[in-house]
Amino acid sequence: ILLLNRGMEVLPLDESGEVRWLPGETEPKIRLTNMKFFPVTKTVGKGVGEARGAIDGTLEVTNFRLLFRELPPVQDCTHGEYQPAFQTHRINRPVINIPLGMIRKITHERKQKLDGNSRDYQFLLVTKEIADLRFEAQMVKTEKTEFIQNLSSYVFPADKTGVAASKRGEKNKKCCGGLFDADLSNFFPFEHFREWERGVHGATSRERGWKYWEDLDHEYDRILNANKSFNAFWKKIDQKNYEICETYPKFFYVPANVTEDTIHNVAAFRSKQRLPVLSWSHPSKGAVIVRSSQPAVGFTGKNSPADEGYIHDVGKVSHSEQMTIIDARPRAAAEGNRTRGGGYESDARYVNCSLKFGDIPNIHTMRGSFVHLKELLHPSINEATYLSDLENTHWLSHIKKVLSAAAVVAEKIECEVQSVLVHCSDGWDRTSQLVSLAMLMLDSHYRTMEGFATLIEKEWLSFGHKFAQRNGTGMPPPTDNNEEGPIFLQFLDCVWQIMRQYPFSFQFTESF
């Protein structure tokens, strides 16, 4: 019925058939027994989405997930009479089971006025996947308002100004540096963490999701100690107060011979102070992947001797002093950024460096492409024009460009023993895609479950990918969508494409 049904066969149930809640997950805070769910069956040919018919059931919301469970058919009582299923308390397996974080938007409209104060209200939950969810219920206006407020307070815990903040009585409250208004300590991830910290449910430390990835020190030790002869080329820079770059981790690695003044000068010449730092080193060849943001060349063609010498030092780390700079953007976009104070490296100034453009569009193009893909796949598919319609979304051509650019990075490292600098504009979207995909191709550790978690923690989270803004995590959609984009979703699609080609090179599969 729904694309959102994936994984339902592994939903944990207890002996009575009820859902076994996760550690830290609360009993349902919202439970409505008069809900109707309207699934849409995909059809072919004419491309018309045909509703299967309303499904009566119970909607439940915990601090982690939304469940909709269909009521079983009317039961025959011992006296020969029929009884509504909900009175028997026998409820079928969930039709829908999705984390609240997958809900992007909540809308509602009044369908018709019934007798008295009751009305038919229709609720649409727009998800971050392909399928959206449509429900209908009879309720009075005050019940509708309370339902929207309660649901919003769980779906959007970081809402600063909307109904969720009003429901919590925390509107305009400031915390977490102003990013979040609400006290998030009682929401699921933190409750889940505290449950594991207390050692309940017999969990070992290795099973604790928050502890699965040890720390940056552990990962850099693994990378650099694989060949100690190359370890001496790099030194650790601590920035406990994030004084060098506020969107970088608390420490990073730079060439061992650069001075503190050089580091600050290089950071000043890069967008958002995101200077080139080490991401990965080849264990036997010494070639490295470094990442940064664009240089502040500007319209007047400014240059920085400190930045040029720094990049030259990075190139000397590998056996070949030739180095490649991969600018993930289209060349025209990189040129356009010069008018806003950005730009790209000049081959004439950066000695022994060659510049290549990845031709990957920006988040606005990717967002539009995903919207078209979603419209193509839901609620119906026109089989006659499906392939041409899919091509017109440009989604797969974008995936190809990302994979091709990542493959160039891997090829330069493995086959040509060249170090590679990767950047885009600010260095936290397309740069994260290319660096992490190249590392996935080059290092089998990242194709294990633990290594894959490490890869995401290190190259996405610690290096400042804007998950909250790009994915709308914990916040309702802004009136201006400029910050949203399916960047991490594209990365996962790219990983899936690689897994399809090399299924035995991964410790995990699509479902496990």
Side-chain angles (χ1 to χ4, degrees):
I1 298 172
L2 281 174
L3 297 179
L4 291 162
N5 264 342
R6 295 199 307 260
M8 287 303 306
E9 66 277 3
V10 296
L11 185 68
L13 304 176
D14 61 23
E15 294 180 355
S16 64
E18 288 298 313
V19 176
R20 189 185 311 130
W21 309 117
L22 296 173
E25 185 175 7
T26 62
E27 290 289 326
K29 298 291 187 179
I30 301 173
R31 179 180 280 116
L32 295 176
T33 59
N34 63 337
M35 276 286 182
K36 294 181 182 292
F37 169 60
F38 292 85
V40 175
T41 302
K42 293 180 181 178
T43 59
V44 297
K46 296 180 180 180
V48 178
E50 179 183 350
R52 196 196 81 172
I55 300 175
D56 294 312
T58 298
L59 181 74
E60 297 175 311
V61 179
T62 72
N63 61 341
F64 169 67
R65 76 182 88 197
L66 179 145
L67 291 168
F68 180 82
R69 301 198 262 189
E70 181 180 5
L71 297 177
V74 174
Q75 304 293 325
D76 190 359
C77 297
T78 55
H79 299 290
E81 298 176 354
Y82 286 92
Q83 193 176 35
F86 64 84
Q87 294 181 11
T88 68
H89 301 288
R90 292 193 292 269
I91 300 179
N92 284 351
R93 293 174 64 91
V95 175
I96 301 167
N97 170 40
I98 61 170
L100 297 181
M102 291 302 299
I103 300 173
R104 188 66 197 99
K105 185 179 180 181
I106 304 170
T107 63
H108 68 278
E109 63 177 345
R110 189 181 71 189
K111 300 301 292 182
Q112 59 179 315
K113 186 173 182 179
L114 306 176
D115 294 338
N117 294 322
S118 292
R119 291 172 171 84
D120 263 344
Y121 286 99
Q122 189 173 100
F123 304 93
L124 179 68
L125 306 185
V126 179
T127 74
K128 297 173 186 176
E129 288 200 337
I130 298 300
D132 297 330
L133 309 176
R134 183 162 64 97
F135 299 94
E136 194 171 288
Q138 294 180 11
M139 55 182 68
V140 299
K141 186 176 181 179
T142 55
E143 291 175 332
K144 180 268 299 181
T145 301
E146 183 178 9
F147 169 68
I148 292 292
Q149 287 184 341
N150 286 333
L151 182 59
S152 297
S153 68
Y154 283 99
V155 174
F156 308 124
D159 185 10
K160 295 181 178 182
T161 59
V163 294
S166 298
K167 177 65 179 177
R168 293 188 299 265
E170 297 169 340
K171 196 167 184 177
N172 298 322
K173 187 180 290 186
K174 299 289 183 183
C175 74
C176 299
L179 178 60
F180 300 127
D181 289 311
D183 177 8
L184 301 182
S185 61
N186 293 324
F187 287 93
F188 174 73
F190 302 97
E191 290 282 6
H192 184 69
F193 175 60
R194 285 192 289 269
E195 287 285 298
W196 288 125
E197 282 291 285
R198 288 194 289 266
V200 299
H201 308 285
T204 66
S205 60
R206 194 169 182 80
E207 292 171 325
R208 299 174 184 172
W210 284 61
K211 299 289 187 180
Y212 198 56
W213 179 64
E214 294 297 332
D215 51 40
L216 274 172
D217 270 321
H218 180 80
E219 177 59 12
Y220 277 114
D221 285 345
R222 186 193 71 83
I223 293 172
L224 292 173
N225 290 333
N227 191 324
K228 295 187 182 296
S229 63
F230 299 120
N231 194 343
F233 288 105
W234 299 93
K235 68 179 179 181
K236 179 180 177 182
I237 301 297
D238 286 300
Q239 55 154 9
K240 294 181 179 179
N241 297 319
Y242 301 94
E243 63 276 5
I244 301 174
C245 178
E246 63 182 7
T247 57
Y248 269 9
K250 61 185 177 182
F251 65 85
F252 48 79
Y253 281 80
V254 300
N257 62 331
V258 301
T259 65
E260 184 176 348
D261 286 342
T262 298
I263 292 172
H264 284 278
N265 289 335
V266 173
F269 188 65
R270 293 279 167 170
S271 175
K272 305 292 192 297
Q273 291 75 52
R274 294 172 66 91
L275 73 160
V277 297
L278 176 68
S279 279
W280 186 79
S281 175
H282 196 288
S284 61
K285 300 178 180 180
V288 297
I289 299 175
V290 293
R291 60 181 295 168
S292 73
S293 60
Q294 65 181 335
V297 175
F299 189 73
T300 59
K302 292 185 295 185
N303 70 293
S304 168
D307 191 78
E308 295 159 13
Y310 183 99
I311 298 301
H312 182 66
D313 289 338
V314 171
K316 289 194 299 184
V317 170
S318 58
H319 293 296
S320 172
E321 291 192 5
Q322 185 68 28
M323 184 173 175
T324 300
I325 300 174
I326 302 292
D327 188 328
R329 303 167 294 182
R331 186 184 187 101
E335 289 279 6
N337 268 275
R338 293 184 61 181
T339 63
R340 296 187 292 273
Y344 54 92
E345 296 82 357
S346 165
D347 290 339
R349 290 195 175 275
Y350 288 81
V351 181
N352 296 329
C353 289
S354 60
L355 175 67
K356 295 182 179 296
F357 291 95
D359 200 32
I360 302 171
N362 60 25
I363 63 168
H364 314 299
T365 301
M366 299 306 187
R367 181 174 63 243
S369 178
F370 181 67
V371 168
H372 293 318
L373 180 67
K374 190 170 182 176
E375 292 171 347
L376 169 65
L377 298 177
H378 184 78
S380 62
I381 292 177
N382 188 334
E383 190 178 58
T385 62
Y386 172 72
L387 292 178
S388 60
D389 291 342
L390 177 61
E391 183 178 3
N392 290 335
T393 69
H394 302 295
W395 180 260
L396 291 180
S397 65
H398 296 325
I399 295 296
K400 179 182 177 181
K401 288 180 178 179
V402 174
L403 283 170
S404 296
V408 169
V409 177
E411 183 180 14
K412 292 293 181 182
I413 296 284
E414 182 66 38
C415 302
E416 300 181 29
V417 198
Q418 289 188 22
S419 292
V420 181
L421 166 63
V422 181
H423 71 73
C424 49
S425 295
D426 292 323
W428 49 43
D429 289 320
R430 288 165 284 193
T431 300
S432 295
Q433 289 178 328
L434 299 190
V435 169
S436 54
L437 286 169
M439 292 165 63
L440 187 84
M441 297 174 187
L442 290 165
D443 192 335
S444 61
H445 173 68
Y446 297 122
R447 299 192 295 273
T448 67
M449 287 185 284
E450 183 174 352
F452 191 65
T454 299
L455 183 67
I456 294 171
E457 288 277 2
K458 178 174 174 289
E459 296 301 327
W460 290 83
L461 287 160
S462 70
F463 275 99
H465 177 67
K466 302 166 72 173
F467 275 100
Q469 289 86 351
R470 295 292 182 262
N471 296 350
T473 305
M475 296 184 289
T479 54
D480 184 351
N481 286 331
N482 280 347
E483 287 293 296
E484 291 192 18
I487 305 304
F488 187 69
L489 178 63
Q490 275 190 320
F491 163 71
L492 294 179
D493 195 340
C494 289
V495 173
W496 183 84
Q497 301 288 347
I498 298 172
M499 290 176 64
R500 292 284 291 178
Q501 296 180 64
Y502 304 99
F504 299 111
S505 296
F506 289 80
Q507 188 188 24
F508 51 89
T509 65
E510 182 180 4
S511 58
F512 177 76

